[in-house]
Amino acid sequence: MEAAVNASRFGQGLTADNPSVGCIIVKDDEVVGKGVTGMNGSPHAEAVALKVAGIRAKGADLYTTLEPCVHYGRTPPCTDLIIESGIKNVFIGARDPDIRVNGKGIQKLRESGIVVTTGILKRECCLSNIGYFYRQVFGRPFVTLKTATTLDGKIACSNGKSTWITSPATRKISHMLRCISSSIMIGYSTLKHDDPQLSCRLPGVKKESIKVVLDTRGEISSPNFKIFNDGIVWSFGKKNTFKHKNFFNFEANLNGEILDLEDVLQQLGTMGINSVLVECGSKLFSSFVTENLYDQIIWFRANKVAGDDALGCCSSLNFDHPLKFIKLRKTNEIKIRGESLEFFANDNSKRFNTLLGIL
């Protein structure tokens, strides 16, 4: 199952609204088949692994990170393929909460005489497809806030001027994060002042990302922004009459000029978005944190100091007592040429434990 989990990671961010599943087939202590979900969700991992295994699948054991599907979608049911192949034992990491599956795949396999064991490395299998599970169970994507700061937490000069803070080596990780995310989100202020491209520019990787712009005033009006160079742009906020072949505008709940972020996330979930990478400015970072609508923070720290007057990533946060400070739990840290990449979980959220209980 560890091998299946590792295989599933190769498809993260590339399988559209489908999960990236890993599948391993073993016979006589030898791996005879291996598969991962294909681009945009087809073919499924089990179908790939069974095709590799061929006749050697008969009497073999199949390990899959997610319960095999039992319905017709982009592909025929994987349960039928498994039954027809003569697989003897099936080991499943996590049950699929999709209402079209949700235990039905397990039941059908057992009714056919296959021995099914569930919950193998469930936590690891859940983490490998965390966005898919969040969308299916909570109706909204997994939210990662990404910020790049100096050692003293600054993102720009006091006059607003900004540039790359981290090194080229560290920035490659940012492109990898874009690759494995269903969408990348910014605010209109970042679009206007920085004009980012928001694309994944890794050698050999071609991915057209969904770019989400929070535009409370409906101000997007120019086709010259770099985000229109490739991919699709979705704006949420006030109604916008701007026309572009890659631009789609969606109204979201507004309280004056304050956007209802939860409404935006629920809309994204309905539209099949599994995960959101929020490339934050100070206001957006603070809004997600104070409203407890984030699941993870990835913090890039450069070995530089900017000084007290510089703009901080948390400048819009304001607490009147230390007991109200936001509590984070560091889950990992990576050092890259003197710079650090730190991962923090939302310590105030019970969503993940709730998810494990459901699966």
Side-chain angles (χ1 to χ4, degrees):
M1 190 61 79
E2 287 180 358
V5 170
N6 288 335
S8 74
R9 295 192 176 110
F10 283 93
Q12 285 186 355
L14 303 173
T15 57
D17 56 340
N18 276 23
S20 178
V21 178
C23 180
I24 303 290
I25 299 174
V26 178
K27 187 173 185 179
D28 298 328
D29 295 327
E30 179 187 355
V31 173
V32 296
K34 181 178 180 180
V36 63
T37 308
M39 291 286 289
N40 298 317
S42 179
H44 287 190
E46 297 92 335
V48 175
L50 287 168
K51 185 175 181 179
V52 173
I55 61 172
R56 293 176 294 177
K58 187 173 183 179
D61 299 336
L62 183 145
Y63 296 80
T64 181
T65 57
L66 185 69
E67 177 183 3
C69 64
V70 71
H71 61 282
Y72 280 88
R74 297 187 186 117
T75 65
C78 289
T79 48
D80 292 354
L81 295 175
I82 294 170
I83 293 168
E84 292 167 4
S85 71
I87 288 286
K88 184 179 180 181
N89 299 290
V90 171
F91 299 89
I92 296 171
R95 198 175 77 237
D96 190 343
D98 187 325
I99 59 173
R100 297 170 297 178
V101 189
N102 199 16
K104 299 183 183 73
I106 295 170
Q107 180 182 354
K108 186 171 184 178
L109 292 173
R110 285 176 172 161
E111 288 175 350
S112 73
I114 294 174
V115 179
V116 180
T117 306
T118 63
I120 309 299
L121 295 185
K122 181 170 72 172
R123 180 184 180 86
E124 290 78 0
C125 292
C126 183
L127 285 171
S128 72
N129 270 298
I130 189 68
Y132 172 77
F133 288 118
Y134 265 54
R135 181 173 65 83
Q136 288 291 343
V137 174
F138 303 121
R140 61 109 161 149
F142 184 86
V143 177
T144 296
L145 308 182
K146 192 211 84 174
T147 186
T149 74
T150 59
L151 288 175
D152 50 347
K154 308 300 183 178
I155 59 176
C157 298
S158 57
N159 60 9
K161 288 185 178 181
S162 63
T163 185
W164 293 109
I165 293 175
T166 55
S167 67
T170 305
R171 291 201 297 271
K172 287 182 181 179
I173 306 297
S174 295
H175 289 285
M176 189 178 299
L177 292 173
R178 289 176 180 176
C179 178
I180 65 176
S181 301
S182 302
S183 62
I184 302 101
M185 177 185 289
I186 58 172
Y188 177 74
S189 179
T190 297
L191 176 66
K192 180 179 178 181
H193 292 102
D194 297 344
D195 192 17
Q197 191 167 331
L198 299 184
S199 59
C200 170
R201 299 188 293 279
L202 292 174
V205 177
K206 184 177 181 180
K207 181 189 178 186
E208 293 188 351
S209 301
I210 301 293
K211 303 166 188 180
V212 177
V213 181
L214 304 183
D215 185 14
T216 57
R217 299 178 182 176
E219 293 180 293
I220 296 177
S221 59
S222 171
N224 297 323
F225 286 121
K226 293 177 184 176
I227 57 172
F228 292 114
N229 290 350
D230 57 34
I232 297 172
V233 179
W234 292 348
S235 78
F236 289 85
K238 191 175 181 180
K239 187 174 181 180
N240 191 320
T241 57
F242 171 66
K243 301 295 183 182
H244 189 281
K245 64 178 182 179
N246 294 330
F247 177 78
F248 301 88
N249 172 240
F250 304 95
E251 292 186 70
N253 294 334
L254 287 165
N255 181 12
E257 291 189 2
I258 299 176
L259 189 63
D260 185 340
L261 292 176
E262 188 165 7
D263 176 42
V264 172
L265 293 178
Q266 290 293 325
Q267 287 196 56
L268 289 173
T270 301
M271 297 157 77
I273 297 298
N274 290 328
S275 59
V276 178
L277 178 66
V278 187
E279 303 206 355
C280 301
S282 174
K283 290 183 179 179
L284 196 53
F285 183 94
S286 301
S287 295
F288 271 99
V289 169
T290 54
E291 295 181 37
N292 198 33
L293 291 174
Y294 70 101
D295 303 295
Q296 178 180 227
I297 295 176
I298 299 180
W299 202 312
F300 293 79
R301 293 186 194 272
N303 50 355
K304 302 173 184 176
V305 174
D308 288 344
D309 291 335
L311 178 65
C313 71
C314 304
S315 295
S316 297
L317 290 173
N318 186 21
F319 302 105
D320 57 12
H321 196 281
L323 292 178
K324 296 181 181 179
F325 290 171
I326 301 297
K327 186 179 180 182
L328 302 174
R329 176 169 47 87
K330 185 182 288 189
T331 57
N332 198 6
E333 182 175 359
I334 301 171
K335 295 290 186 181
I336 304 173
R337 297 183 182 178
E339 298 179 332
S340 66
L341 172 58
E342 298 169 292
F343 296 77
F344 297 93
N346 181 350
D347 211 38
N348 296 319
S349 173
K350 297 180 181 178
R351 285 184 284 266
F352 184 67
N353 287 334
T354 299
L355 190 65
L356 286 179
I358 291 172
L359 301 177

